[in-house]
Amino acid sequence: MQLYFAPLQGYTTALYRQLHHSMWGGITSYYTPFVRIEKGDFRRRDLSDIAHENNIGTPVVPQMLPRDANELQQLTELFLNNGYKHADINMGCPFPPVALHGRGSGLLPHKEMVTELLHATRKYPEMQFSVKMRLGWEDRNEWRELIDILNATPLTHITLHPRIGRQLYKGSVDIKAFEEFCLHCSHKIIYNGDINTPADVERFTAEYPAVECIMMGRGLLARPYLSTLLSCATTISPSEIIERTYTFHNTLYNTLKATSQGESQLLQRAHALWEYFLPQAPHKERKAVIKSSSARQYECATEKLFATWHADCDNIEVM
Ligand SMILES: Cc1cc2nc3c(=O)[nH]c(=O)nc-3n(C[C@H](O)[C@H](O)[C@H](O)COP(=O)(O)O)c2cc1C
């Protein structure tokens, strides 16, 4: 089973990806959050996120969010100029400001636009392309209109998140529609969606042995060590997991501290981390981290959280 780290705008930054790769490993590729064109130009933070010097040693696939063939060409050239040989095309983003402007999953009801977009990939034989998509924007059957053009395009794989765009992340994934998609798709498929624990991976691989690749997003933000546990033959004790997670957090926090402009930016960035991080950590201590209103308070609260968790690791869930 190969594991891919999903792109998560605002979370899986170059810093995060590099640190995750060096501390935990077990990931075949890290997908960058989408790079897009805004007011005719690239965004500065996107350029920095994909820059070669910020990604050395990490297996990274940059992702683009094009609306048409022209944007795809500009973005492909940007990626080529940064030394990439593989680009992922986002046809799944569900956020209304993106989708309602014909990007991400907003492309899926428009067969001609998808055809034109995918056709443009043929101008770049030196670049390999993959697609990350949902079943549709409004209807779970929209993919059926696109499957011939997807099959006819040379792609390394398709990552499917089996929801429709309108759902955002609500409701459940449509596993029956995923099965149908697999029957009709001639490309390698990576499954993505709501796989959060080793038990979820076990269930999925038992049910779908032919699907050899899973992409995980929020589950890895919550438990960054899952990639080690899933890829490593030897077991790691709960206390060791907590010790290594403590080092992972502190390294990340100290880098944020060194690169933030002022305490309020630091706190904002550190608090954002905890939106998904370690939901199973001791509740009272986790709440104190989230409520901290100064760097000093934040640091004391995280120290206490890891110490409490470590002292009681036989009773508090880790996995
Ligand atoms: C905060 C957030 C940001 C995301 N950013 C991106 C993105 O930039 N590109 C993309 O293809 N998907 C993005 N996604 C979708 C994830 O890659 C993934 O498909 C989704 O979270 C479902 O997988 P999961 O259940 O394993 O988290 C984002 C999701 C979230 C919650």
Side-chain angles (χ1 to χ4, degrees), residues 6-9 11 33-34 63 90 132 161 169 192 194 217-218:
L8 294 142
Q9 194 78 222
Y11 296 91
F34 58 71
Q63 187 192 63
N90 181 322
K132 180 168 180 282
H161 179 78
Y169 293 97
N192 167 245
D194 299 8
R218 294 164 296 173

Side-chain angles (χ1 to χ4, degrees), residues 222-223 225 277-283 286 309 316-319:
R223 298 167 171 85
Y225 42 82
F277 194 41
L278 306 178
Q280 77 283 35
H283 184 70
R286 194 174 184 278
W309 198 16
I316 301 174
E317 182 207 359
V318 173
M319 308 309 170

